[in-house]
Each structure stands twice: as structure tokens, then as C-alpha cells.
Amino acid sequence: MGIIYEDAVLIKEAEKEGEHTVITVNCPDKTGLGCDLYVSTDGKWCYLVFWVVGKPTTRWNLLKERLLDVCPTCTPSASGIFYFIPEFQQPRPPEIFLLKELLQTSKRREETIKHLKIVLGDAMMTCDIELAPPEVASCLQSILPSSVSENISSLPFSGEESSGVLASESVSIVVDNSLSPSHTLVQIFCQDHKGLIYDIMRTLKDYNIQISYGRFFANAKGNCEMDLFIMQTDGKKIIDTHKKSALCSRLRMELVHPLRVDVVSRGPDTELLVVNPVELSGRGRPLVFYDITLALKILNISIFSVEIGRHRINDREWEVYRILLDEWDCFSATRNEIKECVRKKLMGWE
């Protein structure tokens, strides 16, 4: 049975406001670890150091728990050396939580309820959070109407919108096998956006590709340059022309089209649609709903109802956010203004 140590993740908080907090992750390596943590590794053990700036509300203990959760466990060998046996990650069913009127407690639930109470005030009487049983979760998997599915398929990607901020020609991907005897070098030049490293890492993770060394640089103009030395799970370079072409095409698509945003009609009402791809492991893009609600708060637009579900569209699983906007608040901004504000928050262009 695998084990993991508390010191696999160490957080040294900043002594003064504005200084960096240093987060160190020291654990066995696995394909997709860089994506899950959202580098230098020998494919067996990974050592990562992050310099981050926290906020007064940053919950460092919770962050440590989340980091420990994605670190792979290790198994001791006869010689006392710990190693990790890689396993292909199978998709797992999404976890669905229910907010219900019961008074069971736990530390995490109390923290969540406390934050809900701050936002809702006296309007909230009682609340509890529990993991929904499988039979309830299956009933909550809504069926996406064909009209909405067709609408999503025809939605413009974020890179194809009228602003032209992100275009396919702004992304350059070069694959080189001549610079290393054991690794394939992938050089990526593109415009920065929030989740850029995640978009690259989740793509490589889906292709079951191992990163042995990576270098990332972003300049003040928002342009990024990344060098990644990669190899297949068999320890060999990517030589096959079709594999290289498929990988480059997929990376380009994920960087130019990381998500879709549009504001459409839902009968007489106005609906905000946000669609992003789901990893093969079943994980969705982080903080999407937070960014959506923050953008709507800035525009002073209220939410009438929300539907969040996983759906297969064009042979791929997508996370679909269907947000019905308050009819009267929609007059405070045009549909294009709503779409642009939400898109900028999601992409980190503020």
C-alpha cells in the first residue's frame, strides 16, 4: 500500500506583506503531476518550488491539503528506497454535493457554511453539505437539449471573437528531436492567459506524456515562451510523424481555444453559456464558476438559476455552465459587454 508524508508539501509563509510565500512539493513523479498541481524531474521523483503571493484570506492549510491530495503515493523497496509505480488514470465519476437543511458538522463544512452566511446574511436559516449518494448523483445528470448542444458546437471559441486578442497565428509550436539524445523538445510561443500552464499540462497528461524538464518565461507584454523536454511513457522520444502532428494540433487548439463563452436566448430569457473541456482523468478546469460570478458581480447582474453538467459533444466530454440571468439586470449591460467581461475574467485579461 502506498504512503505519503506530510513533509511532501511544505509552505513557508511570507514574513512581511507583499513578500513571497515559498511552496515546496517533494514527491514521486507521475505523468500529469504539473497539471494536477496547478520543473525538473527524472521521471521517478519530482521536486517543485513555487514562489507565490498570498492574500489575507488565503487558507494555507487547505492549500496544503489539496496539494497533498494530488501528490502520488510511494512504495518502499527492499533497499529502503521509495518509488512510484505509474498507473494509467481511469476517468472517475464526478462528485456531486448537496446543500440541505440538516445540522451535521465538520471543520470544512463549517468553514463553507460560514462563508455562505457572510454572503447570504439573514436570508440563510440552516445549511449543511454532504456528498450525494450515487443514486442521487445519477438523477442530477441532466440531459443537454439538442438545441443547446448544437448551439455549443457552433459557438465561437474565445480566440475567434471579434476583439481578435487571441488568434491562431499568435501561437507557434516547434518540435525538435535533434537537441537531446533522449528527449523531444517542444518549444511554445504564445500569448499569456490565466491557466496557460494548466492548458499545456493537461493536454500532455491526456496524451500520457512525461515532462522531464521545463522552462517558462513571460515578458511584460504578455508574451510567453516555454521549452519542454518530453518523452513517452516507454522512455522514448516522439519520433512518429503522425504523433508529433497530432500533439502539435491538439496543443495549438487548446491554446487558441481554451474555452467558449456566449450569451444566447433561452426562450424569452437571457442565458450565459460557458463551455470548457474536461481532462480524460475527469477533472474540470479550476475556478471557472468563481470567475463567472465575479464578472457578473462587476456588471451588477444577478443570477436567476445555474445548471452545471458534464456532456459529451463531438466525441469529447465538456463541462457546461448554463447561467440564466436576471431579466431586469440584463438591461445594465449589452450581451457583448457581458460576454467580453466574463471572457476576460476567465482568461485573466483585466
Side-chain angles (χ1 to χ4, degrees):
M1 181 178 179
I3 58 176
I4 190 167
Y5 295 99
E6 283 290 323
D7 58 0
V9 176
L10 298 176
I11 299 180
K12 183 180 179 182
E13 297 186 35
E15 297 180 358
K16 299 178 181 178
E17 184 178 353
E19 292 184 349
H20 289 97
T21 292
V22 181
I23 303 174
T24 304
V25 181
N26 186 20
C27 66
D29 193 20
K30 70 170 182 179
T31 303
L33 180 59
C35 168
D36 292 338
L37 291 176
Y38 193 157
V39 180
S40 179
T41 170
D42 59 1
K44 298 178 181 179
W45 202 267
C46 193
Y47 186 77
L48 304 174
V49 181
F50 301 90
W51 285 266
V52 301
V53 176
K55 299 179 180 180
T57 56
T58 300
R59 300 157 68 187
W60 297 109
N61 290 335
L62 178 58
L63 174 60
K64 182 174 180 177
E65 290 178 14
R66 296 281 178 87
L67 291 173
L68 285 171
D69 183 56
V70 298
C71 287
T73 58
C74 53
T75 304
S77 64
S79 61
I81 299 176
F82 291 89
Y83 64 94
F84 168 67
I85 301 178
E87 296 179 357
F88 182 75
Q89 290 189 331
Q90 298 291 339
R92 62 181 181 180
E95 293 181 338
I96 298 178
F97 289 84
L98 298 178
L99 294 178
K100 55 181 296 187
E101 293 182 2
L102 292 176
L103 294 176
Q104 301 170 355
T105 61
S106 71
K107 182 178 180 181
R108 287 281 302 279
R109 293 170 185 169
E110 286 177 354
E111 290 178 352
T112 304
I113 293 171
K114 178 181 178 181
H115 287 288
L116 286 172
K117 182 66 176 178
I118 292 175
V119 175
L120 299 176
D122 295 335
M124 188 180 80
M125 299 178 63
T126 60
C127 178
D128 190 31
I129 304 173
E130 70 173 15
L131 182 62
E135 59 271 17
V136 175
S138 61
C139 294
L140 295 177
Q141 300 301 306
S142 60
I143 299 176
L144 195 65
S146 58
S147 58
V148 177
S149 179
E150 293 171 0
N151 197 340
I152 290 173
S153 299
S154 63
L155 282 180
F157 285 102
S158 60
E160 297 173 339
E161 296 183 18
S162 58
S163 61
V165 178
L166 188 62
S168 59
E169 57 267 20
S170 66
V171 177
S172 172
I173 301 173
V174 178
V175 178
D176 193 337
N177 278 314
S178 63
L179 294 179
S180 171
S182 57
H183 292 83
T184 295
L185 171 63
V186 177
Q187 292 181 306
I188 300 173
F189 302 90
C190 62
Q191 184 179 356
D192 193 14
H193 67 258
K194 185 165 66 174
L196 171 62
I197 296 179
Y198 167 78
D199 288 328
I200 294 173
M201 296 299 182
R202 69 177 168 84
T203 302
L204 296 177
K205 179 182 178 182
D206 284 353
Y207 273 76
N208 215 21
I209 289 176
Q210 179 78 44
I211 301 175
S212 296
Y213 177 78
R215 182 187 67 87
F216 174 82
F217 172 76
N219 60 27
K221 296 182 179 180
N223 298 316
C224 294
E225 175 182 338
M226 186 177 295
D227 294 332
L228 301 173
F229 286 86
I230 65 175
M231 60 182 177
Q232 302 176 111
T233 52
D234 58 5
K236 298 180 180 179
K237 296 194 290 185
I238 304 175
I239 303 297
D240 185 87
T241 303
H242 296 291
K243 288 184 179 180
K244 289 192 294 184
S245 177
L247 178 61
C248 289
S249 297
R250 177 68 179 273
L251 281 171
R252 180 181 297 276
M253 182 184 74
E254 299 297 346
L255 294 178
V256 177
H257 318 307
L259 46 85
R260 300 182 178 193
V261 180
D262 203 6
V263 179
V264 299
S265 296
R266 184 174 174 181
D269 303 313
T270 301
E271 182 178 67
L272 171 65
L273 278 176
V274 178
V275 186
N276 56 268
V278 177
E279 298 174 29
L280 291 182
S281 64
R283 294 177 181 267
R285 191 181 190 88
L287 295 178
V288 173
F289 191 59
Y290 173 84
D291 288 332
I292 293 172
T293 53
L294 181 59
L296 294 177
K297 180 180 179 181
I298 292 173
L299 294 173
N300 198 28
I301 295 178
S302 302
I303 295 174
F304 181 76
S305 66
V306 178
E307 296 179 29
I308 305 174
R310 301 284 183 90
H311 305 278
R312 295 203 68 84
I313 305 172
N314 296 335
D315 297 326
R316 189 173 182 187
E317 188 177 23
W318 300 81
E319 201 165 54
V320 180
Y321 295 78
R322 301 180 63 189
I323 302 171
L324 200 61
L325 305 178
D326 189 282
E327 180 181 358
W328 299 106
D329 288 343
C330 289
F331 291 112
S332 63
T334 66
R335 290 190 173 188
N336 283 335
E337 289 172 341
I338 296 172
K339 182 169 64 174
E340 189 70 9
C341 185
V342 172
R343 184 177 66 89
K344 286 185 176 180
K345 279 297 177 185
L346 289 166
M347 299 292 283
W349 296 334
E350 301 181 46

